Amino acid sequence: MQKMHIAEKSKRGIFGILRELLTYSNKLKLPAGIAFLFAIAGAVLTILGPNLLSQITDLISDALTSEIDLAAIGRIGGQLLILYGMSAVFTYVEHFIMSTVTLGLSRDLRQDLSRKINRVPMGYFNRVSYGDILSRVTNDVSTLQQALANSLPSMISAATQFIGCLIMMLVTEWRMALAAIAVTVLGFALMAAVMLHSQKYFTARQQNLSTLNGYIEEMYSGHDVVRLSRANEDIKTTFGSMNAVLYNAEWRSQFLSGMMQPLMTIVGNLGYVVVCVLGSALAINGQISFGVIVAFILYVRLFTSPLSTIAQGMTQMQTAAAAGDHIFDFLHEDRS
């Protein structure tokens, strides 16, 4: 059985591929910048919500000994409705822009790859199979486009939400904020460890997928020769070996990336427990109001949920980096 081909890392890495894309297409810069601004604005508006909910909670808790100020609650509720409505609109516009731009980018990449096929020297096709090149035009471009359209804006929004929640928590109650940060640091450490270990398998997946596609294309195009030479069994054995290699790389990459979401969920739940216990102790001592605890429970959710978004996004961006390497390696191939 063949050994799984595992590259140490993506040649360019995630940020290298992003720089390559910005250099490749000037049409991507302005729309992407606008989409990121909408993503940041939507995240900021979402962050302001828990502070208003804290005010509503304090108004209701104060009414236990007096009359409820329904007018004040109604005003704050109206502000919340406007905030969350604007946040939803900004998020929709952001995803619409990125989907439109990246679809155009994938069209341009496929056109340039098609032109490049006719310009590379014939000796290149002795080194690289037709199926490998076909995989770059179809599978790799689609993988890159989907990651740019879906994962990248979500990661920008999640990073903004994470930083904004950190600031709001420190302003609201620094002791509870430090407790939540300590739990989050644990989540970052786990996510970094998994990412460092999984990148080589994502790269191996893309490389082995191209190799398998190339072999399949060659065997089907030479099907008559295969039958005449009675090499059916040998080809089945070779295909089974290559398929097992791809399965091994796919299984390892998906298993490691699949660990991120449950790990972040555990970290988020642990953050809830820490905030509730510490907040209850501070509330009993009269150092904070009940509304602060409610706000912090929401802040912890908004603070830890970006970790899951970033973890999932990094999984897709790792695959996109490997796909981008395949695409730009071919586009930069010498013509002579």
Side-chain angles (χ1 to χ4, degrees), residues 268-301:
N269 291 336
L270 183 60
Y272 279 123
V273 174
V274 171
V275 165
C276 289
V277 173
L278 181 58
S280 299
L282 293 174
I284 291 173
N285 293 330
Q287 299 182 39
I288 61 173
S289 66
F290 184 70
V292 173
I293 300 178
V294 173
F296 250 87
I297 290 175
L298 295 174
Y299 277 133
V300 168
R301 180 177 64 82

Side-chain angles (χ1 to χ4, degrees), residues 51-70:
N51 187 46
L52 296 177
L53 286 173
S54 174
Q55 296 178 29
I56 293 177
T57 303
D58 287 337
L59 287 172
I60 295 174
S61 62
D62 292 341
L64 295 176
T65 56
S66 61
E67 187 177 354
I68 297 179
D69 189 350
L70 295 177

Side-chain angles (χ1 to χ4, degrees), residues 14-33:
I14 295 173
F15 295 106
I17 288 298
L18 293 177
R19 286 193 297 269
E20 189 89 48
L21 286 169
L22 292 175
T23 303
Y24 168 78
S25 176
N26 290 324
K27 295 185 293 184
L28 183 64
K29 295 179 181 179
L30 180 60

